[in-house]
Amino acid sequence: MPNHSEIKNLLENREIGKKIVVCGWVKTFRSNRFININDGSCIDDIQCVIDLDSFNKETLSKITTGSSIRVKGQIVESQGRGQNIEIHVDNLEILGLSHPDNYPIQPKKHSFEFLRENAHLRARTKTISSVLRIRSKISYAIHKFFNDNNFYYIHTPIVTVSDAEGAGEMFKVTTLDLKKIPQTENNDIDFSKDFFGKETNLTVSGQLEAEAMALGMGKVYTFGPTFRAENSNTSRHLAEFWMIEPEMAFYELTDNIDLAESFIKYVIEYVKIECENEINFLSERLTKEEQSMPQNQRSELSLKERINFVIKNDFVRINYTDAFNILKNCKPNKKGKFKFPVKEWGIDFQSEHERFLVEKHFKSPVVVFDYPAKIKAFYMRLNEDKKTVRAMDILFPGIGEIVGGSQREERLDILENRIKSMGIDKKELWWYLDLRKFGSVKHSGFGLGLERLILFITGMGNIRDVIPFPRTPKNADF
Ligand code: 4AD
Ligand code: MG
């Protein structure tokens, strides 16, 4: 172990008088005496105070924002306001100088667009490092929740043959020479010559494999990268995102919704406590940002109030048909304010509809269930009415859909009919159908988009700012 202390521990332990070593990157250097450094361990910097006479002025003058240093010194009570301790420096070592003119992360406000172009350095900012610390704690809380509730963490494959969601928005995986693609007699691509001997792609969901594991291990979850090649340039879509997918044997849809609700609340509450400083900072940031926006675009609640609201209140649960009727009869629809008018039962809700339900009508997270079969994936359990399926989406304020899930069709004949009527090739799904032949049971699960949950907890506006290196159409730098 290295012999230096982390700023997080120093600030927590406040061991006045203790001699310590601390390392970090220079945030500011004021009056040739006060160097604020941060080492990433927490949101706060620590101030290092230099006794001018003891140091070489020329050396000191080389230290600028972004330089890395190691100091030895003594912890003293802080003189300045708002700081509880500082370091009285005995010895200072420059680890790496920073070019004063070219260092992009100067101590001033940067736009998020600018920081995205400098994604390799943006973890040096308070906002992005706070978001990423929260991201780390959320991930831990997710594992803790499932582990404490007797779930097993399983790893589903990244390279797959099946298109679980039936949306066809997949990245191909191949080692074929793209300049000399082998062809079959019918002029199709000859995938038998490819690495896996068949057409493969990056997974759009680990669900189908998770189902197989649940039907032997009871309660499982998968948590990993997920890929969608949809050309969506929105602030809510990534081409590579992380999804948490629990799958539970013997669970019906209501059990599934109950689990999803308590899971989300647990994670948010955990992070609220563990990342209090980060959330306070991000909440103030958002309030300031919104002050420069027109009144009608500002949120009624601050970030902290929104977080508390979600933890304390039951999510509204409503079936698709009731939600449809609310939307059909609501003012914005009647006045033609929706870009997609709500007319016919069976439409897929657009984000403007979801946001109306959540932000204007209910002012609460909303679970919509029993969607029309036509707009949902093949694996969802058909209801008695033969028109709807046991699907559920959880919609969040400011985000829209955060969870998509369902009770799965466990009846072989009905599943086979569904696959056939949707024109899906049954061949690749032989093993999935097998699960319905050997001790089939009711089971359910859902998928939560990690980045969308982080958006909610941090109040960030763009999904590209809650993952270290975002992948979106035409963007795979770094
Ligand atoms: O609703 P989706 O497509 O559901 C599934 O993939 C199911 N197989 C899950 C399951 O039942 N096991 O995706 C689930 C969630 C969405 O609600 C959203 O939060 C997130 O994944 N998501 C995305 N997040 C970021 N960028 C994208 N392109 C996303 N697509 C889905
Ligand atoms: Mg969905």
Side-chain angles (χ1 to χ4, degrees):
M1 294 284 269
N3 74 343
H4 65 268
S5 306
E6 279 148 33
I7 294 174
K8 180 176 194 281
N9 292 339
L10 293 181
L11 293 175
E12 275 169 15
N13 300 340
R14 289 179 49 83
E15 293 173 280
I16 308 290
K18 190 174 177 190
K19 295 267 188 192
I20 52 91
V21 178
V22 64
C23 308
W25 291 272
V26 174
K27 288 308 206 50
T28 54
F29 189 1
R30 289 180 298 117
S31 318
N32 276 327
R33 265 201 92 184
F34 304 105
I35 309 183
N36 273 23
I37 61 171
N38 186 282
D39 64 1
S41 62
C42 64
I43 191 166
D44 293 305
D45 306 336
I46 199 158
Q47 176 161 281
C48 307
V49 187
I50 299 170
D51 183 355
L52 276 184
D53 298 333
S54 329
F55 290 93
N56 180 323
K57 301 232 163 44
E58 208 182 321
T59 314
L60 283 183
S61 72
K62 292 187 190 145
I63 300 176
T64 56
T65 298
S67 301
S68 48
I69 61 173
R70 185 208 317 264
V71 304
K72 268 192 198 156
Q74 191 172 25
I75 302 177
V76 296
E77 199 115 25
S78 175
Q79 309 295 318
R81 264 191 305 142
Q83 298 176 342
N84 49 17
I85 57 162
E86 58 193 28
I87 314 272
H88 198 110
V89 179
D90 300 324
N91 188 294
L92 185 154
E93 183 190 341
I94 295 175
L95 301 176
L97 286 174
S98 171
H99 198 289
D101 304 325
N102 293 346
Y103 182 57
I105 315 293
Q106 294 297 331
K108 59 168 195 177
K109 198 172 154 43
H110 297 288
S111 73
F112 288 123
E113 289 80 10
F114 174 81
L115 291 177
R116 262 168 242 150
E117 286 160 17
N118 290 283
H120 59 307
L121 289 168
R122 66 180 179 164
R124 305 266 184 102
T125 67
K126 251 190 162 111
T127 304
I128 300 294
S129 66
S130 293
V131 168
L132 295 178
R133 275 189 294 273
I134 289 175
R135 184 182 171 107
S136 170
K137 293 287 178 189
I138 290 178
S139 305
Y140 175 74
I142 288 166
H143 286 301
K144 181 160 166 54
F145 175 88
F146 286 123
N147 188 61
D148 291 353
N149 285 287
N150 296 336
F151 279 73
Y152 291 105
Y153 178 31
I154 50 144
H155 303 100
T156 47
I158 306 281
V159 177
T160 59
V161 231
S162 60
D163 171 10
E165 291 310 297
E169 289 153 340
M170 299 178 298
F171 291 102
K172 292 215 157 58
V173 175
T174 182
T175 52
L176 291 179
D177 180 351
L178 297 183
K179 287 192 193 127
K180 276 188 284 172
I181 297 174
Q183 296 200 322
T184 62
E185 282 171 8
N186 309 330
N187 290 342
D188 289 329
I189 299 172
D190 186 0
F191 284 107
S192 71
K193 304 260 167 35
D194 205 347
F195 188 90
F196 295 106
K198 55 175 66 170
E199 193 175 353
T200 48
N201 44 267
L202 295 179
T203 183
V204 294
S205 160
Q207 177 197 321
L208 304 192
E209 291 88 354
E211 278 186 59
M213 294 299 106
L215 296 176
M217 299 187 69
K219 295 194 295 187
V220 300
Y221 71 106
T222 172
F223 179 5
T226 310
F227 306 85
R228 305 248 168 126
E230 54 194 328
N231 193 10
S232 303
N233 260 304
T234 78
S235 56
R236 306 278 172 262
H237 288 88
L238 289 166
E240 177 182 294
F241 63 100
W242 284 64
M243 185 150 58
I244 299 99
E245 295 182 278
E247 192 68 36
M248 299 76 66
F250 318 112
Y251 269 50
E252 299 190 14
L253 189 72
T254 316
D255 308 316
N256 196 23
I257 299 174
D258 290 344
L259 179 81
E261 181 168 345
S262 57
F263 165 60
I264 292 174
K265 286 178 171 167
Y266 173 88
V267 172
I268 296 179
E269 171 115 57
Y270 182 91
V271 173
K272 180 190 146 184
I273 295 165
E274 285 290 315
C275 302
E276 196 189 353
N277 294 341
E278 278 82 0
I279 302 233
N280 284 341
F281 169 76
L282 292 168
S283 189
E284 280 165 32
R285 182 201 79 79
L286 190 62
T287 305
K288 263 189 234 144
E289 186 183 283
E290 289 189 349
Q291 273 159 5
S292 62
M293 295 180 358
Q295 192 87 40
N296 64 352
Q297 282 175 32
R298 294 183 205 167
S299 341
E300 284 168 35
L301 301 180
S302 72
L303 177 62
K304 276 170 75 176
E305 288 167 332
R306 265 183 267 166
I307 287 176
N308 285 329
F309 183 89
V310 167
I311 296 171
K312 297 216 173 83
N313 292 284
D314 289 342
F315 296 0
V316 170
R317 301 184 186 194
I318 182 172
N319 69 39
Y320 169 91
T321 304
D322 291 344
F324 170 80
N325 286 326
I326 290 173
L327 289 167
K328 193 173 172 197
N329 298 317
C330 74
K331 260 199 205 145
N333 193 47
K334 289 188 162 162
K335 288 189 174 168
K337 291 267 161 70
F338 285 145
K339 195 167 151 219
F340 300 91
V342 180
K343 286 191 205 132
E344 301 274 335
W345 186 93
I347 57 155
D348 206 354
F349 295 154
Q350 301 294 322
S351 134
E352 57 179 347
H353 308 138
E354 296 176 343
R355 295 186 72 160
F356 175 84
L357 287 173
V358 171
E359 288 159 31
K360 297 279 182 303
H361 191 83
F362 290 113
K363 295 184 191 295
S364 153
V366 176
V367 189
V368 182
F369 58 92
D370 285 352
Y371 278 84
K374 280 215 173 89
I375 57 171
K376 289 291 184 188
F378 73 93
Y379 51 72
M380 298 187 179
R381 192 177 200 275
L382 195 64
N383 279 315
E384 298 282 278
D385 64 13
K386 301 255 173 24
K387 274 167 41 193
T388 58
V389 285
R390 296 245 82 190
M392 63 104 164
D393 275 5
I394 303 186
L395 314 176
F396 254 53
I399 314 287
E401 183 193 329
I402 195 164
V403 162
S406 64
Q407 184 172 332
R408 320 306 190 188
E409 185 55 78
E410 85 285 11
R411 299 160 295 185
L412 181 63
D413 51 336
I414 299 178
L415 183 60
E416 280 182 323
N417 281 340
R418 199 91 205 289
I419 288 176
K420 203 164 154 205
S421 72
M422 292 180 92
I424 299 168
D425 186 2
K426 172 169 140 176
K427 239 181 23 247
E428 305 297 353
L429 287 172
W430 65 271
W431 60 272
Y432 189 73
L433 292 166
D434 247 17
L435 298 168
R436 276 75 183 162
K437 292 179 192 160
F438 309 117
S440 188
V441 294
K442 286 189 174 169
H443 61 288
S444 302
F446 63 85
L448 169 79
L450 176 68
E451 288 76 15
R452 297 211 182 153
L453 181 63
I454 303 174
L455 278 178
F456 176 76
I457 297 180
T458 60
M460 296 295 283
N462 194 314
I463 200 162
R464 295 172 168 99
D465 300 326
V466 303
I467 185 165
F469 297 105
R471 298 287 178 255
T472 52
K474 302 277 177 288
N475 175 20
D477 293 339
F478 305 106

